[in-house]
Amino acid sequence: MQAGTKRRKAIGAVRLSSLTEETTSPERQKEAEQAWANANNTEIIGWAVDLDVSASIPPWERPELGAWLERHVEYDLLIFAKLDRAVRSLRDFVDLMAWSEEHGVGLVILDPQIDLTDMWGRAMGGILAVFAELERNMIQKRTKEGYAEVLKQGRWPGGRLPFGYSAVERQDGDGWQLVINPEQAKVLRTIINRIIGGASTLSQVNWLNEQKIPTARGAESWGYTAVYEILRSPALLGQRVKDRGNTRSKGWVDVVRGDDGLPVQYAEPIVNRETWERLQETLNANAKQTTGNRYDASPLLQVAFCARCERPFYRRGTERVMASGDTKAYFYYRCASASDTTVETCPDKPYKYLELEGLVFHEVLDVIGTLEVQQRVFVPGEDHTETLETAQAAYEELTQQLTITRSASGRAKLMEQLTALDERIADLEELPNRPSTWRYEGTGQTYAQLWTTLNDAERGAMLRDAGVKVMCVRKPDGTPVAGVVLPENLAERAKDWASKRE
């Protein structure tokens, strides 16, 4: 070291796009920069280490490097082990050079070794930055093409697992695939049935948290938005979603599509399309309500009806905190005519909520308590009805996207998909039409047995799902009475059971 030579101060910059346990790149970058500093009378006073940070992110937006760039008065040099660790776009390179000249901070690139302090060195650096940008674009293109090919082959490309599915290694050893997670799928089907039956989305969020059901990532707490996006997502149909952020504002979700315009099917569906569409219709109807989101559906919602006007009963009232600190419920039931000014209000007085709920539940159990609970199972037909509906839905979604797509290349791609879909729909319409059906399977448990495991809200959801209705009215002396109306399948089984008992 020459006498009187001032020792310079520097910041060593380290960047890596993807950090794994096996990589040694950060250590190698540090060693190279430290070796240069030792040989060039330079002291590294700090490190800007940005791991899991893409080179496409400008230097000023990287967590640690961006902070050091704001403290430029504290050092003389900024050292990078490689040019592609600094930038991978010509624009970022030019901006970094301008920043360097403005603040008097020298830039040191070790690989390739270029002198950025003169015109020729900066020109060479710009050329290399162009090639780095081209390389990055090619990597992105190959990654995107490989991603699409993986999906076409039914393989799982990685990323966040949708709730209801698990990733397992394929039997042929060629990557991973998604399979239905039985426990999570059961949770989803329960929630979907309840919402279709009248429960609010918020009530199911509360139920998930009360039951301490973990999220797909293992977290213990659910939020409304997360549950709502799951219910809106075509991932329930086994389709790959590439845009999650538009479920609230646009009413459609962008899915990965093949060259034929149809959604790529990368897993077995958790629910069939009919159920999914019923769920979407219910969510749309709930979103139009002006009374706000209910904390929970009342047990008798769409179960108890007024026998005089055949309109549903609604539970009104509130809970009050007493002077003792206890909470007391002040609820009552009244038929819908009470709030409808266009019809004459029924003469029946309001029902105390415990009185009516107790009566309805007692009458229902008396009629169906001994019957076995059956679940409705979708049986696909041999026709192509569901495929046709999927193609028609895809055609409508792409048509909607065409109205908001501005670029010529984007519109051309959409038109290709629409043409392929139109041909596919025409072919499907010519095939034999034998619709899908439903069948009922026993669960080995009676309604009375299941009843003891449910709370009141869950009991109401079960009755709605089963199609049970109860008509209520007061006798002349004011005593409430109720009559149970069963759907055809339950009515036949109840009749058979009654005849055998006689």
Side-chain angles (χ1 to χ4, degrees):
M1 182 185 301
Q2 297 181 354
T5 302
K6 182 180 178 182
R7 187 172 175 81
R8 294 175 297 181
K9 296 180 179 180
I11 298 300
V14 177
R15 187 196 62 77
L16 190 65
S17 295
S18 180
L19 179 64
T20 65
E21 294 181 359
E22 293 78 15
T23 185
T24 59
S25 178
E27 289 74 18
R28 293 198 306 272
Q29 292 180 54
K30 280 188 175 182
E31 290 174 1
E33 294 171 18
Q34 186 64 64
W36 184 91
N38 294 341
N40 290 275
N41 192 26
T42 300
E43 176 189 2
I44 296 181
I45 63 170
W47 295 93
V49 181
D50 291 304
L51 305 181
D52 280 331
V53 176
S54 171
S56 63
I57 298 177
W60 295 267
E61 297 179 15
R62 299 173 195 171
E64 295 204 13
L65 180 58
W68 275 112
L69 292 177
E70 293 180 358
R71 299 165 57 182
H72 52 82
V73 296
E74 301 179 22
Y75 51 91
D76 309 298
L77 300 173
L78 187 58
I79 308 173
F80 294 92
K82 293 185 176 183
L83 178 61
D84 63 3
R85 298 302 171 187
V87 294
R88 277 197 180 180
S89 76
L90 180 59
R91 178 175 180 178
D92 287 346
F93 177 79
V94 172
D95 289 344
L96 189 59
M97 288 298 303
W99 175 89
S100 170
E101 292 181 2
E102 179 182 354
H103 298 292
V105 176
L107 296 179
V108 177
I109 307 294
L110 304 183
D111 183 13
Q113 291 187 359
I114 53 178
D115 185 357
L116 298 176
T117 61
D118 62 25
M119 179 180 65
W120 293 108
R122 290 194 293 272
M124 180 59 69
I127 294 173
L128 293 173
V130 170
F131 281 103
E133 183 174 7
L134 288 174
E135 180 186 14
R136 177 172 62 88
N137 292 339
M138 289 300 295
I139 292 173
Q140 290 177 341
K141 182 179 180 181
R142 289 194 299 268
T143 300
K144 184 177 181 180
E145 291 175 348
Y147 176 87
E149 186 61 29
V150 164
L151 287 177
K152 289 179 182 178
Q153 297 174 6
R155 290 186 288 153
W156 172 243
R160 179 185 298 180
L161 281 173
F163 187 80
Y165 292 97
S166 300
V168 298
E169 192 170 0
R170 288 166 57 99
Q171 292 183 353
D172 58 10
D174 187 15
W176 296 72
Q177 69 181 47
L178 287 192
V179 298
I180 292 178
N181 182 309
E183 294 182 0
Q184 293 181 357
K186 182 179 180 181
V187 169
L188 284 175
R189 292 177 184 127
T190 299
I191 290 175
I192 291 169
N193 284 336
R194 289 175 176 174
I195 291 178
I196 290 175
S200 68
T201 303
L202 184 57
S203 72
Q204 299 312 294
V205 176
N206 293 326
W207 176 75
L208 287 167
N209 290 325
E210 290 169 359
Q211 298 297 316
K212 298 182 179 179
I213 296 173
T215 67
R217 291 186 171 185
E220 297 181 355
S221 178
W222 287 85
Y224 179 87
T225 300
V227 175
Y228 186 86
E229 287 186 349
I230 289 174
L231 297 174
R232 284 295 197 183
S233 175
L236 292 170
L237 298 172
Q239 299 172 4
R240 175 72 174 181
V241 179
K242 63 180 179 181
D243 187 350
R244 301 174 57 251
N246 53 15
T247 54
R248 300 301 297 273
S249 60
K250 297 181 182 178
W252 53 267
V253 178
D254 202 2
V255 299
V256 177
R257 299 179 183 276
D259 295 334
D260 58 0
L262 288 172
V264 174
Q265 199 74 25
Y266 72 127
E268 290 294 322
I270 292 176
V271 296
N272 58 67
R273 174 163 286 276
E274 178 184 349
T275 301
W276 190 80
E277 290 181 347
R278 285 182 62 194
L279 172 64
Q280 304 314 304
E281 292 173 359
T282 303
L283 292 173
N284 290 338
N286 291 346
K288 296 178 182 178
Q289 292 179 356
T290 58
T291 55
N293 212 336
R294 301 183 308 276
Y295 172 83
D296 202 348
S298 70
L300 302 187
L301 180 64
Q302 295 300 318
V303 173
F305 292 79
C306 176
R308 296 183 184 275
C309 64
E310 298 185 354
R311 304 189 71 177
F313 279 107
Y314 288 96
R315 191 171 71 175
R316 309 295 187 194
T318 185
E319 290 183 343
R320 298 177 184 174
V321 178
M322 312 305 291
S324 62
D326 296 333
T327 300
K328 187 173 181 179
Y330 287 88
F331 291 122
Y332 63 93
Y333 280 95
R334 193 90 185 260
C335 81
S337 67
S339 58
D340 189 347
T341 58
T342 64
V343 298
E344 183 179 353
T345 302
C346 285
D348 271 0
K349 296 180 179 179
Y351 296 80
K352 295 180 179 179
Y353 83 101
L354 289 178
E355 176 186 43
L356 191 62
E357 289 174 8
L359 172 64
V360 169
F361 290 161
H362 177 270
E363 293 296 326
V364 167
L365 280 183
D366 187 55
V367 176
I368 68 171
T370 57
L371 301 181
E372 181 184 23
V373 178
Q374 293 185 338
Q375 57 184 6
R376 196 167 68 145
V377 179
F378 182 71
V379 181
E382 296 182 3
D383 63 13
H384 299 268
T385 301
E386 190 163 338
T387 304
L388 176 61
E389 291 174 352
T390 300
Q392 291 170 335
Y395 192 92
E396 293 178 1
E397 291 167 3
L398 287 177
T399 301
Q400 183 179 1
Q401 292 187 43
L402 186 63
T403 63
I404 61 175
T405 300
R406 299 176 59 187
S407 68
S409 59
R411 293 181 65 85
K413 179 64 175 177
L414 287 172
M415 286 304 300
E416 290 178 6
Q417 293 179 325
L418 284 169
T419 300
L421 269 177
D422 185 57
E423 295 176 356
R424 175 66 169 160
I425 291 172
D427 292 339
L428 289 171
E429 288 176 340
E430 295 179 359
L431 295 175
N433 183 20
R434 201 172 106 193
S436 302
T437 59
W438 295 85
R439 72 166 181 264
Y440 289 88
E441 293 183 353
T443 62
Q445 190 176 34
T446 66
Y447 279 100
Q449 292 170 336
L450 177 60
W451 196 265
T452 60
T453 68
L454 306 177
N455 59 37
D456 284 348
E458 292 169 337
R459 291 167 178 170
M462 182 194 72
L463 295 179
R464 285 188 291 272
D465 186 51
V468 175
K469 294 184 178 181
V470 182
M471 310 305 293
C472 306
V473 70
R474 290 186 184 276
K475 295 194 297 185
D477 63 0
T479 303
V481 293
V484 179
V485 180
L486 301 178
E488 184 178 354
N489 67 303
L490 269 180
E492 291 178 357
R493 292 200 291 136
K495 184 178 180 180
D496 290 343
W497 177 83
S499 62
K500 292 177 182 178
R501 187 176 62 172
E502 294 175 356

